[in-house]
Amino acid sequence: MEQFLTFGIVGLSTAAIYAVIGSGLVLTYVTTGVFNFAHGAAGMLAAFCYWQFTVGWGWPVPVALALVLLVLAPGFGLAVERVLMRPVQHLGEAERLVMTVALLSGAIAAARWIWDPNVPRPLDTFFADRRPFHLGPATVTWHQALTMTVALAVAAALWFLLNRTRTGTEMRATVDDPALARLTGADPARAGRTAWILGTQLAAIGGILIAPTVALDASQLSLLIVSAYTAAVFGRLRSLPLTFLGAVVVGCVESYLTGYLPQNDYLPGLRLAAPALLLFLTLLVFRHPRLRGRERRLVRVPAPSLRGTAVFAAATVGFALVLATVLGEADLVTYGPIFSLGIVALSYVPLAGYAGQISLCQLSMAGIGAVVWGHLGAHGQLWALAAAIAVSAAAGALVAVPALRFSGVYLALGTAAFAVVLDRWIFTLPSFDVLGVRIALFDQGSVDMAGPDVFGLRLDAAAELTVLAAVLLGLSSLAVAWLRRSGFGRRLIALRDSEAAYATLGGNLLVAKVLVFALSAGIAGLGGALYGMQQQAVTAEQFSLVAGLPIFLVAVIGGLGAVGNGLFAGTAFVGPNILIGLASWTQNIVSVLPALAGMGLGHSPQGLISRFRSQWEPLGRDRIALPALLGVLALGWVLRLTDVINGWTLLLGSLVVAYALRAYASRPQDEPDVPVEWWGIRRPWRPQDGEVLARGTAGG
């Protein structure tokens, strides 16, 4: 009984922290309609700053707490609201979600940049010098007592704020109807600022309270928010009392699992994955009300031409041939994954771009494909590559069945929880038997990867694998383009536009979601297997949720509806490594770049690929500039192969010539006189055309 009570006290103290963090998450969401995936990262940064002030610089604890909670946390919340969230407030839910994911990824990268993750940073609990006291047979530390007291104080303060103050009334009115609240003299923008400031302060309090009991690690502290997510979803993202109740459930389950879970090689990861499992189960069990901000500002997804996609696929293979012949073996290990990770990024196009389903576990699906190939394709059998695709597709279908109940933020939460379960438990399992079949994953280490045997030719060299990955990326791009033009592709677009209308017109939501999830997971599994071949050995950490966030961000930046997103995302994600080759100190800058680009999404919500296409299209159509560019590139390639010029000269020279010829092709030209009824069809529509038509109509 004493042990039961002791674990109960530990669970309640942990629950108190989850309640504080979760209440800040709910407060921000119900006021602004933004689900802040970076909420835990704010608490993580606060914990690191608190350690720096108290341990690193030896400041007094009260001074450090005041500076973090009253200056840094409010300033961070205000900066996020004004600089990041306000520009995308008019956009749809997906864009706001991506912005917070970018902030999460950027905060983790920045923390690793500032505080070396290889240096341990222990942090003492509050009142560590005081002896614990007894509550019946249970022992309670002063830190635990302080934690529970703070949670009760936060609950009381939030109730008073929301029910007894003008600011709270303004915040609640903003939730119900911002336009009507504005008519009564309330200021929704001010209410949003207040919510972001208070939410960040609560995240900072939770981060500082939990930091002494866990390792001060950027990823671990940021993902502790998964437990607070569970509490917030328990409260349906709107009820603070239910959020506190959910926090108690989560905290106690974690504590009792720690105390009573049997000790063997297969269950330690279950305790670590328990918050994510609880989150997934909570999403399944509770019926969720209609999400605030669910309105969609849909991006048009034009059907790509198969001819144009074929030219793009050929250009992709040509790019790979240049890299394979110009770069050495070591450089190809670094830059060859442009094509394999590009296939992983391409998997977002049918899933998120066509069907509108947000998934944060695509790199986990790639990990499944990699581990299947590693164990079944040890001798290069091609059937093992098909098995890797099939098993990954089956895992995607498994996610899709419960995901039928999810949408929007809830779908992102569910897929993130699935990725965390794989990271913390499934991928860490040792080998085991199922019905007499030996199942091995990463086997608590790394998995050696071999190249495939294609028509009797063993592909093991980095150059060969790079070209193979490019060929498969080109074929996958053609398949995705064909999918968009097919009847199933049109049904996916209809599913994205309106699930209710799709079902009303006879569409089967379950079948459509299972098929598109399986298809995208199979594509990701193919990319994961190729990536493993290029790396020669892979570990579970390479396919974690945190590792997959930058790829997701780069894919979104490119434009989820564009078939060329695979090559763009692979190049944008891997290409900046060239800076590391020039100066090793730029590694941290490179790790932050995807997050910074994601934060700039508000300036180009359509994606960069459409902008690039419009800028470079004149060059592709010019009968003089295009052959000249191809000739210069071919000449430069030959000169590089003969060692007349080096790689840098080839790269910089190609860029200079390409931009010069683009400027030539984009020069103003005399256009033929186009009848007014063909404006916007035979020539681009111009801003002044509307005024011309209006005057002509008025004059008539």
Side-chain angles (χ1 to χ4, degrees):
M1 185 63 181
E2 179 179 351
Q3 186 181 22
F4 183 84
L5 290 176
T6 300
F7 284 118
I9 294 296
V10 173
L12 289 176
S13 63
T14 307
I17 298 174
Y18 295 157
V20 171
I21 300 175
S23 61
L25 188 65
V26 171
L27 183 67
T28 303
Y29 179 79
V30 297
T31 306
T32 66
V34 176
F35 187 90
N36 185 13
F37 263 88
H39 194 67
M44 175 270 296
L45 291 175
F48 270 102
C49 290
Y50 175 74
W51 177 92
Q52 187 64 55
F53 295 151
T54 56
V55 179
W57 295 341
W59 290 10
V61 169
V63 174
L65 285 175
L67 181 59
V68 173
L69 298 180
L70 301 180
V71 179
L72 296 183
F76 182 78
L78 186 61
V80 169
E81 189 275 333
R82 293 181 67 88
V83 178
L84 297 182
M85 302 313 304
R86 190 175 297 182
V88 298
Q89 193 65 38
H90 67 286
L91 299 177
E93 178 187 51
E95 287 79 6
R96 298 197 295 268
L97 175 66
V98 168
M99 188 66 71
T100 61
V101 171
L103 183 59
L104 169 62
S105 179
I108 293 175
R112 289 174 173 171
W113 183 357
I114 299 171
W115 294 281
D116 186 355
N118 298 317
V119 176
R121 291 181 173 81
L123 192 61
D124 292 335
T125 60
F126 288 96
F127 306 112
D129 55 339
R130 295 192 179 185
R131 297 181 58 184
F133 61 92
H134 295 279
L135 191 63
T139 301
V140 183
T141 66
W142 285 94
H143 183 86
Q144 293 171 336
L146 173 65
T147 300
M148 289 183 276
T149 302
V150 168
L152 293 175
V154 166
L158 287 178
W159 179 88
F160 182 82
L161 170 69
L162 295 175
N163 294 279
R164 291 293 185 268
T165 66
R166 176 177 175 79
T167 300
T169 303
E170 190 174 74
M171 294 171 69
R172 289 187 289 113
T174 300
V175 175
D176 295 334
D177 192 330
L180 184 60
R182 191 178 291 109
L183 291 176
T184 63
D187 186 352
R190 182 173 58 206
R193 287 194 299 270
T194 303
W196 276 103
I197 290 173
L198 291 178
T200 307
Q201 285 180 308
L202 292 174
I205 292 173
I208 292 173
L209 288 174
I210 203 170
T213 62
V214 297
L216 203 58
D217 177 78
S219 297
Q220 182 176 348
L221 272 176
S222 297
L223 292 183
L224 281 173
I225 191 63
V226 171
S227 300
Y229 287 165
T230 308
V233 171
F234 200 93
R236 303 187 183 186
L237 298 182
R238 61 184 62 237
S239 171
L240 289 176
L242 287 178
T243 298
F244 274 73
L245 177 60
V248 171
V249 172
V250 176
C252 290
V253 166
E254 289 184 15
S255 180
Y256 287 124
L257 281 177
T258 302
Y260 295 103
L261 199 65
Q263 298 298 317
N264 60 49
D265 294 334
Y266 301 96
L267 295 181
L270 175 59
R271 184 187 64 81
L272 298 176
L277 282 172
L278 285 174
L279 173 58
F280 201 83
L281 292 175
T282 304
L283 288 167
L284 286 177
V285 170
F286 288 102
R287 292 185 62 84
H288 309 296
R290 184 179 185 272
L291 290 170
R292 278 181 44 76
R294 204 38 223 293
E295 70 279 358
R296 295 186 176 186
R297 292 163 175 79
L298 297 174
V299 177
R300 182 172 174 266
V301 183
S305 67
L306 294 181
R307 179 180 178 182
T309 308
V311 173
F312 169 77
T316 300
V317 177
F319 179 39
L321 287 172
V322 172
L323 291 182
T325 53
V326 169
L327 299 180
E329 189 82 6
D331 288 334
L332 283 174
V333 173
T334 301
Y335 301 106
I338 284 176
F339 307 101
S340 55
L341 293 180
I343 295 176
V344 177
L346 182 66
S347 69
Y348 286 105
V349 174
L351 182 63
Y354 296 171
Q357 307 299 307
I358 301 173
S359 173
L360 297 180
C361 66
Q362 291 304 101
L363 192 62
S364 301
M365 299 300 168
I368 294 174
V371 78
V372 171
W373 169 260
H375 290 293
L376 299 183
H379 301 291
Q381 309 95 317
L382 273 183
W383 64 265
L385 190 59
I389 298 172
V391 173
S392 300
L398 180 65
V399 175
V401 174
L404 185 64
R405 291 178 55 87
F406 308 156
S407 61
V409 167
Y410 293 123
L411 180 58
L413 283 172
T415 54
F418 186 81
V420 172
V421 171
L422 291 178
D423 298 347
R424 296 184 175 180
W425 184 26
I426 304 301
F427 283 166
T428 65
L429 290 174
S431 301
F432 57 93
D433 293 319
V434 176
L435 300 176
V437 179
R438 192 69 172 172
I439 304 296
L441 300 174
F442 291 93
D443 207 11
Q444 300 178 322
S446 62
V447 178
D448 294 331
M449 309 289 285
D453 190 341
V454 181
F455 303 117
L457 179 64
R458 189 62 176 269
L459 305 181
D460 276 328
E464 297 168 345
L465 292 173
T466 298
V467 175
L468 173 65
V471 170
L472 292 177
L473 173 58
L475 293 176
S476 299
S477 300
L478 276 170
V480 171
W482 175 84
L483 172 68
R484 172 62 184 88
R485 300 176 64 87
S486 67
F488 182 60
R490 291 190 290 272
R491 288 196 293 272
L492 291 180
I493 297 295
L495 173 68
R496 180 197 67 151
D497 292 347
S498 173
E499 292 186 6
Y502 179 84
T504 302
L505 294 176
N508 190 314
L509 288 176
L510 177 60
V511 171
K513 285 192 174 184
V514 167
L515 287 178
V516 73
F517 265 90
L519 173 64
S520 64
I523 296 174
L526 172 63
L530 292 169
Y531 176 71
M533 297 176 198
Q534 293 177 305
Q535 298 299 301
Q536 299 180 357
V538 292
T539 62
E541 289 76 14
Q542 292 174 275
F543 301 99
S544 66
L545 171 65
V546 174
L549 292 180
I551 299 177
F552 169 71
L553 292 174
V554 173
V556 172
I557 295 162
L560 292 176
V563 173
N565 202 356
L567 182 60
F568 170 86
T571 305
F573 181 70
V574 178
N577 287 326
I578 195 171
L579 297 176
I580 302 176
L582 294 174
S584 59
W585 58 267
T586 60
Q587 181 174 359
N588 291 314
I589 298 177
V590 170
S591 65
V592 175
L593 285 179
L596 294 178
M599 293 175 191
L601 177 67
H603 301 287
S604 184
Q606 302 288 331
L608 294 181
I609 292 178
S610 60
R611 179 184 296 183
F612 287 163
R613 184 185 295 115
S614 62
Q615 291 176 347
W616 290 91
E617 191 174 17
L619 175 60
R621 294 182 175 180
D622 195 287
R623 297 183 178 181
I624 298 176
L626 181 60
L629 176 61
L630 295 176
V632 170
L633 293 178
L635 177 62
W637 185 23
V638 172
L639 293 177
R640 176 66 188 91
L641 292 178
T642 56
D643 289 329
V644 176
I645 60 176
N646 59 23
W648 283 108
T649 303
L650 174 61
L651 174 63
L652 296 178
S654 300
L655 290 176
V656 170
V657 172
Y659 275 94
L661 291 175
R662 190 194 73 171
Y664 169 79
S666 302
R667 69 193 186 281
Q669 299 179 2
D670 295 333
E671 296 182 356
D673 189 18
V674 177
V676 64
E677 60 268 20
W678 291 103
W679 289 1
I681 300 176
R682 291 184 177 176
R683 69 162 177 79
W685 179 265
R686 300 167 181 168
Q688 62 269 27
D689 289 347
E691 183 179 354
V692 173
L693 288 177
R695 289 181 178 179
T697 304

